Amino acid sequence: MPPSITHHTSHTMGNGASSSNSGCNINGGASITHQAGHAMGNTMANTTGEDDAGISNHHSGIVEASLTDPVADDDYCFPTGPSSRRSSVVSVSHDDLDDSDAGTSTTGITTMSNSVNLARFSIIDSTLREGEQMATANFNTAQKLMIAQALDDFGVDYIELTSPAASPQSRADCEAICKLGLKAKILCHIRCNMDDARIAVSTGVDGINMCIGTSPQLMAHSHGKDLKYIAAKAKEVVEYVRSEGIEIRFSGEDSFRSDFSEILKLYSLVDSLGADRVGIADTVGGATPMEVFDKIEALRKVVSCDIETHFHNDTGCAIANAFMAVEAGATHIDTTVLGIGERNGITPLGGLIACLLPRYPESILNRYKLEKLGALEELVAGIVSVEIPFNRFAMPSQKCD
C-alpha cells in the first residue's frame, strides 16, 4: 500500500494579503477590474515519501541522456493562429541569450526561436488542488463535483485535482470527477515517483502534473535528493506515463530559487523524453514580472514542449507575473477561483481574465463564458467562507456609469 502523504505545499511565508485594481475600456466602455487573493494560512510540509532501493543521493551515469546535451525537435510546430509556423533551431553562444539573472548561463544549449502565438494559451484551474490548501477549503465530494462542473461551464481548459495518493477519499473524488464527462481535461498533481504515477493513471485522469523540489532549500530540507536523482526519477515517470497515453508535465518546485542553468538542462532533457509540458513555479511568491519574462524567454529557447506557470501572490505580483509569462512564451497558466490557496494564494482566475482580455479580446471572449464567472466566484466564496473582493472582475456586458 502506498504511503499516505500531505498535500503539496511550499515551505515559507506566513499570512498576508494584497489587492489591486485597474480600469480599462473594451469595445464601447465596459469596465474591467481585477481581484487579488485573500490572506491564507495552512502551510504544510512536502516530501517525496520514497526511498528507492539501490539509488543513493549521489549518482554517476544514472541517466543515459546527458543533462548537458539537450535534444531539440526541429519538426515541432508551435501554434500561430489559423496556420502553423515551424520553429527554427539554432545553436547559440552564451552571448546570444539574455543572462541578466545570475546563474542562468545557457552556454552550449540548443535554442529554439520563440514563435508561440501568445493569444492561444490554456488555463489550468487548480481550485480543487491548490485551493484545497486554504485553511477553510475543506471541500466534500459534493462540493468538489459542483465546483468542477462550474469550472467546466465557464470553459477552463484543465481542472487540476489533489493527488489521488494523498488519501483514499482524494482518490475516490478524483475518480468521481473523471466520470463526469466534462469538456475540460482532468489533471492530478503527484510527486515524482512511480507509486504516485501508477495510482494516478488508474483513476482515469487525462494528464498528470508531476513535481519535485529543485531549489537548494528544498533539495536539502524537503527530500534530500540531488539533481541526478531527480533526472533519473523524472525519466522513469515520464516514460511510464507516456506509455499509458496520457499527458505528463514535469515541474521543479521552487523553480525561481533554483539554479536556473541547471533547470534549463533538466527541462531540456525532460522535453527530449516527450513531456507535454514543463512547469515553472514561484513557490514562495517572490518573483518579479521582469524576472518572469527573462526566465520564461530563456526557457522558451531551449524546449519545444509547452510551458506551464504557477505564481503565488505573496508580493501581489501573481497576475502581473502570469501576464508576463504569457508574453514571454508560456502556454499554460495555473489559476484558482478568487486566487484561493496556500498563504496569499495564486493567480486568480478572474484577475487573469481581466488582465488578458484587453490584450487578446477575441481569444478570451470566444473561449470562455465570462457571464458565468460571477456565479462561479459566488459558489466558491460561499463554500470557503470568504467575501468576494469589492474590485472583482466586471463583465464586459455590464453597463458602467
Side-chain angles (χ1 to χ4, degrees):
M1 180 176 179
S4 61
I5 64 170
T6 59
H7 292 170
H8 156 72
T9 65
S10 53
H11 302 268
T12 64
M13 307 293 180
N15 286 344
S18 61
S19 64
S20 60
N21 64 76
S22 62
C24 60
N25 198 281
I26 300 292
N27 298 332
S31 175
I32 310 297
T33 62
H34 70 253
Q35 66 212 20
H38 288 272
M40 308 295 176
N42 195 31
T43 302
M44 298 179 178
N46 181 49
T47 175
T48 61
E50 180 179 18
D51 292 314
D52 295 273
I55 299 179
S56 66
N57 290 354
H58 303 284
H59 309 284
S60 59
I62 190 166
V63 182
E64 293 178 1
S66 170
L67 286 181
T68 59
D69 295 314
V71 178
D73 182 359
D74 58 1
D75 289 326
Y76 181 85
C77 294
F78 290 101
T80 57
S83 62
S84 295
R85 179 171 60 193
R86 189 181 301 271
S87 61
S88 60
V89 181
V90 294
S91 294
V92 300
S93 68
H94 177 84
D95 293 334
D96 291 324
L97 295 181
D98 179 4
D99 279 342
S100 57
D101 291 288
T104 61
S105 172
T106 50
T107 303
I109 293 178
T110 302
T111 68
M112 305 195 70
S113 64
N114 179 4
S115 58
V116 175
N117 184 333
L118 299 179
R120 295 188 63 181
F121 71 105
S122 293
I123 292 175
I124 298 178
D125 191 87
S126 189
T127 301
L128 295 177
R129 201 282 296 176
E130 173 70 43
E132 276 204 306
Q133 296 176 85
M134 182 180 177
T136 57
N138 301 309
F139 302 131
N140 59 39
T141 301
Q143 290 169 337
K144 290 181 182 180
L145 295 175
M146 285 192 296
I147 292 171
Q149 186 65 64
L151 287 168
D152 194 56
D153 290 344
F154 173 78
V156 300
D157 306 280
Y158 294 83
I159 297 172
E160 185 184 51
L161 308 178
T162 295
S163 171
S167 69
Q169 189 60 57
S170 294
R171 182 172 184 170
D173 291 343
C174 183
E175 292 171 346
I177 291 172
C178 288
K179 293 175 181 177
L180 288 176
L182 304 178
K183 297 183 294 294
K185 292 183 178 181
I186 306 302
L187 306 173
C188 66
H189 192 271
I190 69 166
R191 300 167 296 179
C192 184
N193 71 54
M194 286 296 295
D195 287 342
D196 284 18
R198 291 187 186 98
I199 292 171
V201 168
S202 73
T203 64
V205 293
D206 299 298
I208 290 172
N209 274 0
M210 167 179 60
C211 82
I212 188 170
T214 52
S215 68
Q217 294 89 340
L218 295 193
M219 287 193 291
H221 303 295
S222 174
H223 53 75
K225 310 298 183 183
D226 63 12
L227 284 170
K228 287 186 178 180
Y229 173 91
I230 291 170
K233 298 308 294 181
K235 180 177 185 292
E236 183 181 18
V237 175
V238 168
E239 290 177 344
Y240 165 69
V241 174
R242 279 184 53 78
S243 74
E244 294 293 329
I246 63 177
E247 290 187 18
I248 179 67
R249 179 215 74 184
F250 175 82
S251 180
E253 183 186 5
D254 205 10
S255 313
F256 280 86
R257 293 196 299 171
S258 301
D259 181 336
F260 210 69
S261 63
E262 293 300 321
I263 288 289
L264 293 178
K265 295 172 187 176
L266 178 61
Y267 284 15
S268 203
L269 168 64
V270 172
D271 180 34
S272 74
L273 295 172
D276 296 278
R277 296 186 303 283
V278 291
I280 293 290
D282 181 22
T283 303
V284 300
T288 64
M290 287 311 300
E291 179 188 10
V292 169
F293 188 93
D294 289 343
K295 289 184 173 177
I296 297 296
E297 185 179 50
L299 179 59
R300 180 73 282 166
K301 292 175 180 177
V302 302
V303 299
S304 62
C305 63
D306 288 336
I307 299 173
E308 180 180 337
T309 60
H310 184 94
F311 298 107
H312 279 263
N313 201 37
D314 298 80
T315 59
C317 290
I319 295 172
N321 286 343
F323 178 78
M324 291 299 277
V326 173
E327 292 289 290
T331 55
H332 293 62
I333 304 294
D334 292 3
T335 67
T336 59
V337 177
L338 297 174
I340 67 170
E342 184 186 17
R343 304 187 316 273
N344 292 57
I346 66 168
T347 307
L349 175 61
L352 178 66
I353 292 294
C355 191
L356 292 175
L357 181 57
R359 177 76 160 152
Y360 310 113
E362 183 176 356
S363 177
I364 297 298
L365 293 172
N366 286 341
R367 293 180 61 180
Y368 305 108
K369 296 179 180 178
L370 304 193
E371 70 276 8
K372 294 184 178 292
L373 180 59
L376 172 59
E377 291 179 334
E378 289 167 6
L379 171 64
V380 174
I383 292 172
V384 301
S385 301
V386 299
E387 293 184 4
I388 295 176
F390 74 91
N391 56 347
R392 70 187 291 185
F393 176 69
M395 305 305 146
S397 59
Q398 274 185 248
K399 181 179 179 181
C400 301
D401 295 331

